[in-house]
Amino acid sequence: MVLETRVTKILGIEHPIIQGGMHYVGYATLAAAVSEAGGLGTITALTQKSPEDLRAEIRKCRTLTSKPFAVNLTLLPALMPPDYDAYCNVVIEEGVKIVETAGRNPGKFIQKFKEAGCTVIHKCVAVRHALTAERLGADIISMDGFECAGHPGEADVGNWVLLPVAARHLKVPFVASGGVGDGRQ
């Protein structure tokens, strides 16, 4: 059964399921499998050692699926950050139409991706960050409660609290990401 939502319409997918960017997991094979199953598979850019390795991974994914897939670009604080601009350029040059950003302020990259005709999903752990991303042009927000893996945020707010607040404030569609927990698992 196909479940049609604002998110599935925007992304061109059958099911409102998005494989988020996961370091050392988000390769072409997993992304293609998720996309083939009707969700949105995601290649994690920084899992690739270089922008050219990312280019090869994108091309590999295209050999495995003709369905939509995304590339995640997580903007991390670092003393020697990767060449984010080069990774961004590869995504655009390869014609990827859906990008998930996460981490630090994505404004510069949202603008570049939007100018290239990409749909941008931004992953957030707080509603104030989501509102900023919305204002900067994100098309979809991925709200991460404290239960998520990877980027749980600083306020320890779970999805049961975070999601209703997001629903009251956001105008763009959003997806619940991470897990759902009550501390008794």
Side-chain angles (χ1 to χ4, degrees), residues 111-129:
Q111 181 180 353
K112 285 178 77 168
F113 289 130
K114 297 296 286 180
E115 287 171 0
C118 298
T119 297
V120 178
I121 304 166
H122 185 66
K123 190 180 296 185
C124 301
V125 296
V127 173
R128 67 185 173 94
H129 299 151

Side-chain angles (χ1 to χ4, degrees), residues 116-176:
C118 298
T119 297
V120 178
I121 304 166
H122 185 66
K123 190 180 296 185
C124 301
V125 296
V127 173
R128 67 185 173 94
H129 299 151
L131 290 168
T132 297
E134 180 181 66
R135 189 178 68 254
L136 293 171
D139 299 288
I140 299 170
I141 300 297
S142 177
M143 291 301 308
D144 278 7
F146 184 67
E147 305 90 347
C148 82
H151 303 287
E154 300 167 353
D156 297 353
V157 177
N159 273 338
W160 289 121
V161 173
L162 187 62
L163 300 177
V165 175
R168 283 195 300 270
H169 294 285
L170 292 172
K171 294 177 184 71
V172 298
F174 70 94
V175 296

Side-chain angles (χ1 to χ4, degrees), residues 1-178:
M1 179 180 100
V2 174
L3 177 62
E4 191 173 279
T5 68
R6 287 170 63 194
V7 170
T8 61
K9 287 179 191 177
I10 291 168
L11 300 177
I13 58 177
E14 297 172 54
H15 310 293
I17 297 173
I18 299 171
Q19 171 217 328
M22 296 179 283
H23 205 50
Y24 300 118
V25 176
Y27 289 100
T29 49
L30 177 60
V34 172
S35 292
E36 282 295 307
L40 181 70
T42 304
I43 295 170
T44 307
L46 297 182
T47 292
Q48 307 306 313
K49 292 180 182 174
S50 72
E52 289 308 312
D53 287 346
L54 174 60
R55 186 183 308 278
E57 201 69 12
I58 291 168
R59 290 178 178 177
K60 179 179 179 181
C61 194
R62 286 220 172 88
T63 69
L64 301 171
T65 187
S66 60
K67 295 187 176 186
F69 65 90
V71 171
N72 163 277
L73 183 63
T74 299
L75 309 166
L76 300 170
L79 291 174
M80 295 186 64
D83 188 351
Y84 292 118
D85 287 306
Y87 282 94
C88 177
N89 291 339
V90 165
V91 170
I92 292 167
E93 290 164 8
E94 288 300 315
V96 174
K97 291 299 176 192
I98 305 169
V99 179
E100 176 190 64
T101 56
R104 301 197 131 195
N105 187 316
K108 168 185 170 182
F109 296 100
I110 288 178
Q111 181 180 353
K112 285 178 77 168
F113 289 130
K114 297 296 286 180
E115 287 171 0
C118 298
T119 297
V120 178
I121 304 166
H122 185 66
K123 190 180 296 185
C124 301
V125 296
V127 173
R128 67 185 173 94
H129 299 151
L131 290 168
T132 297
E134 180 181 66
R135 189 178 68 254
L136 293 171
D139 299 288
I140 299 170
I141 300 297
S142 177
M143 291 301 308
D144 278 7
F146 184 67
E147 305 90 347
C148 82
H151 303 287
E154 300 167 353
D156 297 353
V157 177
N159 273 338
W160 289 121
V161 173
L162 187 62
L163 300 177
V165 175
R168 283 195 300 270
H169 294 285
L170 292 172
K171 294 177 184 71
V172 298
F174 70 94
V175 296
S177 54

